[in-house]
Amino acid sequence: MTTSEWRAARNEKALARLEKALPPAFPAPVLARALARPFIPPTPRLAVEGYWRAHPLRADRLARELAVRSGTPDGWTWRLGTGRKKDPLPTSFRMPPAPYRDVEFARGPGHCCVCGQPVYRLGWHADLWAAGPNRRASWHAACVVAWQLWVAPSDQIALLRRRQRHRCAQSGQRLWKTAQVDHRLPLFRVWAEHRDLPWPALLAFWGAPNLQVINRDSHVVKCAEEAGYRRQRRAAASAP
């Protein structure tokens, strides 16, 4: 059997499984992408997960929109943890704030621990089936991908380069192979200057609005300027 014959046989079986498992309502863009893949996903859930992995910027935008619906929980403030075993808070400001992952503010089964909104069938963010929240789920499929973008944006450098049309966001020159992903406003400044913003607004500093790809030499210059800024702040704080 040749590779093309094996793939055709494999896709025939996967398509049969997918069609058998498809619910009466299913997002049309997800299905269209699944059927166009070289390897058709055999289950609706794999089709949904694959769709969001292919569209991380769309997932980022949706996750932040869902966070706006939830809003900042009453009594929540952005804090860092102590590093002790019983303290679940992250110890670094580089991790995005996530109040609904905190036991004190979690909304319980059937709600996303990232955005706080209900999670429905297949990890979807809308109840297309009028079945209510999935009590066994704690993540939207989109929020999983958005979270991965927030904590590891360099994994999406190829996509971010295309978004900038392969031009350095600082110099406007052609992006080199050594170009790097950078936060326009560094996260240490977000912690120092913007920590009191509403939680949904804070997420934009980890998402696409604050991400850029810049050439390595521009990044070196930017890092030096940020180091100087930090020194000035420390000097001002220690001055009598």
Side-chain angles (χ1 to χ4, degrees), residues 32-109:
R33 181 187 180 276
L35 297 180
R37 299 302 298 156
F39 292 97
I40 296 175
T43 66
R45 177 169 288 279
L46 289 176
V48 168
E49 292 173 353
Y51 174 82
W52 288 118
R53 283 197 302 270
H55 300 288
L57 299 183
R58 194 173 300 175
D60 160 60
R61 184 168 62 249
L62 175 61
R64 289 186 287 108
E65 290 175 355
L66 294 173
V68 171
R69 294 184 195 176
S70 299
T72 306
D74 293 337
W76 179 85
T77 56
W78 185 18
R79 297 176 295 113
L80 297 181
T82 61
R84 298 175 181 174
K85 290 184 178 181
K86 294 184 179 181
D87 189 347
L89 295 175
T91 58
S92 172
F93 53 74
R94 295 192 174 279
M95 291 293 291
Y100 295 107
R101 298 188 74 181
D102 190 331
V103 175
E104 182 179 354
F105 301 104
R107 292 186 168 180

Side-chain angles (χ1 to χ4, degrees), residues 5-202:
E5 291 173 339
W6 171 84
R7 181 184 299 174
R10 185 264 180 203
N11 281 342
E12 183 178 357
K13 294 179 180 179
L15 180 59
R17 285 186 60 190
L18 179 63
E19 290 177 339
K20 183 177 180 179
L22 275 178
F26 194 72
V30 177
L31 182 58
R33 181 187 180 276
L35 297 180
R37 299 302 298 156
F39 292 97
I40 296 175
T43 66
R45 177 169 288 279
L46 289 176
V48 168
E49 292 173 353
Y51 174 82
W52 288 118
R53 283 197 302 270
H55 300 288
L57 299 183
R58 194 173 300 175
D60 160 60
R61 184 168 62 249
L62 175 61
R64 289 186 287 108
E65 290 175 355
L66 294 173
V68 171
R69 294 184 195 176
S70 299
T72 306
D74 293 337
W76 179 85
T77 56
W78 185 18
R79 297 176 295 113
L80 297 181
T82 61
R84 298 175 181 174
K85 290 184 178 181
K86 294 184 179 181
D87 189 347
L89 295 175
T91 58
S92 172
F93 53 74
R94 295 192 174 279
M95 291 293 291
Y100 295 107
R101 298 188 74 181
D102 190 331
V103 175
E104 182 179 354
F105 301 104
R107 292 186 168 180
H111 289 81
C112 180
C113 63
V114 174
C115 69
Q117 287 293 293
V119 184
Y120 301 103
R121 189 175 179 181
L122 304 175
W124 205 245
H125 54 280
D127 193 1
L128 303 179
W129 308 274
N134 179 2
R135 299 292 178 182
R136 295 179 295 177
S138 58
W139 292 78
H140 290 119
C143 289
V144 171
V145 174
W147 184 265
Q148 292 169 345
L149 172 68
W150 298 342
V151 300
S154 294
D155 291 349
Q156 298 298 336
I157 188 170
L159 176 62
L160 296 172
R161 288 172 69 109
R162 289 197 300 272
R163 184 182 67 157
Q164 294 178 196
R165 298 183 179 181
H166 300 276
R167 293 290 174 180
C168 175
Q170 289 281 350
S171 66
Q173 297 177 352
R174 186 79 177 175
L175 283 171
W176 303 344
K177 290 183 179 181
T178 55
Q180 300 168 333
V181 177
D182 173 64
H183 292 91
R184 287 187 172 89
L185 184 71
L187 297 181
F188 77 85
R189 290 190 60 178
V190 177
W191 169 253
E193 302 170 13
H194 302 285
R195 74 177 79 169
D196 294 328
L197 285 176
W199 166 66
L202 285 173

